């Protein structure tokens, strides 16, 4: 997507949020807020994206009691943001919380669990904990089946981790 399209999306989302002002428990409002955070993330406005995510988490928790796929998605998105900007400890915390919630709500073989396991593997590899990284990459590989487009990325991440260990 071109930057101009993100700018256009940002304007539309800001307008939608303005029109729904005060409807903090409205799922459409929270969806617009989440999408605005994603647009800011994609544009490289990381501090703005973080602020938006953190603003939206409170109302989402009050609606879902912290037990919904939407909440797990927010945790995952915030973790992706922290991974992107190198705040690995925070990313790991949010990924672990998202993984636990996805597992509780969707089961341990759901694709969302596999994606989070892959991202946790990246962090462990970056931090030099190659054994844990390998376990996470293998967990992701078991979940994400052969013909899935993400499988190649997981195998590449596992290979990079093995390379960094000298295997």
């Amino acid at each position: 997507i071109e930057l101009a399209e993100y700018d256009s999306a940002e304007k539309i989302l800001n307008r939608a949020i303005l029109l729904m002002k005060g409807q903090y428990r409205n799922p459409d409002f929270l969806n617009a807020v989440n999408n605005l955070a994603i647009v800011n993330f994609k544009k490289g406005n990381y501090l703005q994206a973080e602020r938006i995510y953190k603003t939206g988490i409170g109302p989402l928790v009050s609606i879902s009691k912290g037990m919904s796929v939407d909440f797990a998605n927010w945790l995952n998105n915030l973790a992706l943001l922290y991974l992107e900007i190198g705040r690995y400890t925070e990313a790991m915390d949010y990924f672990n919380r998202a993984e636990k919630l996805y597992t509780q709500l969707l089961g341990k073989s759901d694709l969302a669990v596999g994606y989070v396991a892959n991202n946790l593997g990246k962090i462990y590899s970056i931090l030099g904990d190659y054994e844990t990284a390998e376990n996470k990459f293998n967990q992701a590989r078991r979940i994400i089946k052969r013909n899935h487009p993400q499988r190649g990325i997981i195998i590449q991440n596992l290979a990079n981790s093995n390379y960094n260990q000298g295997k």
Side-chain angles (χ1 to χ4, degrees):
I1 296 178
E2 298 294 321
L3 184 58
E5 291 174 7
Y6 285 129
D7 289 341
S8 176
E10 185 175 17
K11 287 176 187 171
I12 292 167
L13 289 165
N14 278 320
R15 175 109 172 102
I17 290 167
L18 184 63
L19 290 171
M20 292 185 276
K21 192 162 180 78
Q23 298 180 35
Y24 303 114
R25 297 177 62 85
N26 179 338
D28 292 331
F29 173 81
L30 292 171
N31 189 45
V33 170
N34 184 51
N35 289 336
L36 182 60
I38 291 169
V39 166
N40 276 278
F41 174 81
K42 296 284 188 183
K43 288 175 62 177
N45 298 334
Y46 301 127
L47 292 175
Q48 180 71 357
E50 178 185 26
R51 187 190 64 73
I52 295 167
Y53 280 131
K54 293 224 169 175
T55 299
I57 280 183
L60 188 56
V61 168
S62 73
I63 292 170
S64 68
K65 307 294 184 241
M67 288 298 294
S68 73
V69 172
D70 286 338
F71 182 61
N73 290 339
W74 278 59
L75 295 173
N76 185 64
N77 288 345
L78 195 49
L80 288 168
L81 170 69
Y82 289 141
L83 175 60
E84 178 73 19
I85 61 176
R87 290 167 57 182
Y88 302 122
T89 303
E90 291 162 287
M92 192 180 309
D93 177 53
Y94 282 100
F95 278 135
N96 280 319
R97 291 171 60 192
E99 181 181 43
K100 182 178 178 185
L101 199 49
Y102 283 136
T103 301
Q104 286 177 320
L105 298 171
L106 304 172
K108 65 182 181 182
S109 345
D110 190 83
L111 285 176
V113 176
Y115 296 145
V116 173
N118 181 55
N119 287 324
L120 281 166
K122 286 185 209 174
I123 294 171
Y124 285 115
S125 185
I126 289 166
L127 298 176
D129 184 351
Y130 299 116
E131 184 177 333
T132 306
E134 187 172 336
N135 289 336
K136 284 298 182 182
F137 290 138
N138 282 323
Q139 175 190 358
R141 194 174 52 144
R142 283 189 301 275
I143 294 168
I144 299 174
K145 303 299 182 207
R146 268 195 198 285
N147 294 322
H148 193 281
Q150 289 289 316
R151 186 159 171 97
I153 293 169
I154 292 165
I155 297 202
Q156 179 181 350
N157 289 338
L158 182 57
N160 288 339
S161 182
N162 285 334
Y163 175 79
N164 290 334
Q165 294 177 73
K167 287 185 179 180

